[in-house]
């Protein structure tokens, strides 16, 4: 438990550090290197379009990251008024739900010390639980983080290609770039800044693919009306049309949330159904 609590503090700091490094490299290294002659650069040059795209992706990723933390799941256990020695409290602390509990699809998180509705999982990179209130923002955070990393990967490869006068037309060139660069770095033929960018290329590739895979897996669970916690515990859920499952998470204003970071409106559909 101590290791998990430490990871819950270190992981968000690691994400913010990587985000800051990526922003600095893009703004002060990659984008300026795309300008050959700034005085004659047209209005819609590739460098300006790339800079606008990166800022759009970064703003959405960081904006949804903040909203995931801000709209953390509500602690349903505060209104239970349970005694310290009650059996149901033991069930919550054990990570399971009492058979007679009046709160279905809930889970007690040891790290957050709260009972969350439609608990999916605990995200260490946000230091927060993911539930019904912030699921949409979490998916948008994963999506735009993946796109921002892949965008930085492409820009970094273009920079390295120009700096080292090499081509990535052959897919094997990227696979052999790291061991070849390490040997050149220790021989003094490669600058430390260029070696740092090469290491970041592989980091961006790993984070981008991981976030993209996680986002696709999460979307599949949403279409089926399930959460990761329900799948892990083998809970049976009521079958519903996939459109209702999507609307419950993304709401009717899904296009607005796709373009700009906004608070989760996924519960609007549920409230309309209850009325």
């Amino acid at each position: 438990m101590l290791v998990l609590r430490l990871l819950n503090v270190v992981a968000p700091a690691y994400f913010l550090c990587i985000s800051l490094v990526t922003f600095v490299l893009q703004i002060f290294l990659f984008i300026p290197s795309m300008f050959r002659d700034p005085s004659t650069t047209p209005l819609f040059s590739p460098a300006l379009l790339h800079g606008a795209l990166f800022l759009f992706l970064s703003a959405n990723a960081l904006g949804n990251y903040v909203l995931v933390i801000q709209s953390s799941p509500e602690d349903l256990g505060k209104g239970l008024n349970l005694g310290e020695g009650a059996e149901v409290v033991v069930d919550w602390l054990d990570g399971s739900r009492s058979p007679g509990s009046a709160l279905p699809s809930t889970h007690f998180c040891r790290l957050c010390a709260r009972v969350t509705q439609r608990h999916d999982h605990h995200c260490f990179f946000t230091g927060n639980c993911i539930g019904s209130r912030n699921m949409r923002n979490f998916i948008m955070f994963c999506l735009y983080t993946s796109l921002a990393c892949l965008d930085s990967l492409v820009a970094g490869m273009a920079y390295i290609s120009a700096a080292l006068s090499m081509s990535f037309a052959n897919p094997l060139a990227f696979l052999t770039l790291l061991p070849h660069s390490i040997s050149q770095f220790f021989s003094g033929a490669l600058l430390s800044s260029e070696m740092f960018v090469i290491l970041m290329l592989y980091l961006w590739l790993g984070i981008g693919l991981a976030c993209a895979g996680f986002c696709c897996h999460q979307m599949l669970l949403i279409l089926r009306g399930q959460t990761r916690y329900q799948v892990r515990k083998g809970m049976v859920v009521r079958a519903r049309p996939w459109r209702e499952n999507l609307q419950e998470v993304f709401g009717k204003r899904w296009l607005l949330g796709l373009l700009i970071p906004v608070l989760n409106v996924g519960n609007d559909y549920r409230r309309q159904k209850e009325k």
Side-chain angles (χ1 to χ4, degrees):
M1 181 57 65
L2 180 61
V3 176
L4 294 180
R5 293 188 180 277
L6 181 62
L7 182 62
N8 202 42
V9 176
V10 174
Y14 171 78
F15 169 77
L16 294 177
C17 180
I18 294 297
S19 301
L20 180 60
V21 171
T22 302
F23 183 82
V24 171
L25 288 176
Q26 283 271 19
I27 299 300
F28 298 102
L29 188 61
F30 297 161
I31 296 179
S33 66
M34 298 179 184
F35 290 95
R36 295 184 177 180
D37 187 3
S39 61
T40 61
T41 299
L43 179 60
F44 296 103
S45 66
L48 289 178
L49 293 177
H50 170 75
L53 176 62
F54 173 73
L55 292 178
F56 171 76
L57 297 176
S58 301
N60 275 276
L62 294 178
N64 282 286
Y65 179 82
V66 172
L67 291 179
V68 168
I69 301 176
Q70 181 181 354
S71 58
S72 58
E74 182 182 1
D75 187 4
L76 301 178
K78 292 182 178 180
L80 293 179
N81 193 21
L82 300 174
E84 188 68 24
E87 296 181 358
V88 68
V89 175
V90 178
D91 291 333
W92 288 122
L93 294 176
D94 189 46
S96 60
R97 181 173 58 85
S98 173
S101 174
L103 298 174
S105 301
T106 52
H107 172 68
F108 178 83
C109 178
R110 294 173 178 267
L111 295 175
C112 295
R114 67 177 64 176
V115 180
T116 59
Q117 184 179 11
R118 287 191 62 82
H119 175 88
D120 189 85
H121 69 284
H122 182 89
C123 177
F124 289 98
F125 287 99
T126 61
N128 205 1
C129 277
I130 307 301
S132 58
R133 292 184 60 183
N134 55 4
M135 174 60 71
R136 197 274 303 275
N137 296 121
F138 177 75
I139 294 178
M140 292 295 101
F141 160 68
C142 292
L143 174 63
Y144 280 106
T145 299
S146 175
L147 294 177
C149 286
L150 296 180
D151 176 82
S152 300
L153 173 64
V154 174
M157 291 176 63
Y159 173 80
I160 291 297
S161 178
L164 302 182
S165 300
M166 62 177 300
S167 174
F168 289 98
N170 186 359
L172 294 178
F174 183 79
L175 298 178
T176 59
L177 176 63
L178 183 59
H180 182 66
S181 301
I182 292 177
S183 61
Q184 283 190 329
F185 175 73
F186 285 105
S187 63
L190 190 66
L191 298 177
S192 58
S193 59
E194 296 172 346
M195 186 63 200
F196 180 76
V197 172
I198 292 174
L199 293 176
M200 290 298 298
L201 293 180
Y202 291 91
L203 182 61
W204 287 325
L205 177 63
I207 296 177
L209 293 179
C211 289
F214 193 87
C215 185
C216 293
H217 175 67
Q218 203 70 42
M219 285 298 300
L220 179 61
L221 292 178
I222 292 176
L223 291 173
R224 296 166 56 182
Q226 291 180 305
T227 62
R228 288 169 58 89
Y229 176 73
Q230 291 173 339
V231 173
R232 188 170 67 251
K233 293 296 182 179
M235 298 180 179
V236 180
V237 298
R238 181 173 60 89
R240 296 190 308 174
W242 62 271
R243 293 180 182 273
E244 293 186 8
N245 295 328
L246 281 178
Q247 194 170 2
E248 184 180 9
V249 175
F250 293 94
K252 291 186 176 181
R253 294 177 291 174
W254 60 271
L255 184 59
L256 179 63
L258 187 62
L259 298 177
I260 58 176
V262 293
L263 288 175
N264 197 342
V265 294
N267 291 332
D268 294 345
Y269 177 74
R270 178 175 296 178
R271 287 195 292 265
Q272 292 174 3
K273 294 276 288 187
E274 292 176 352
K275 290 180 181 179

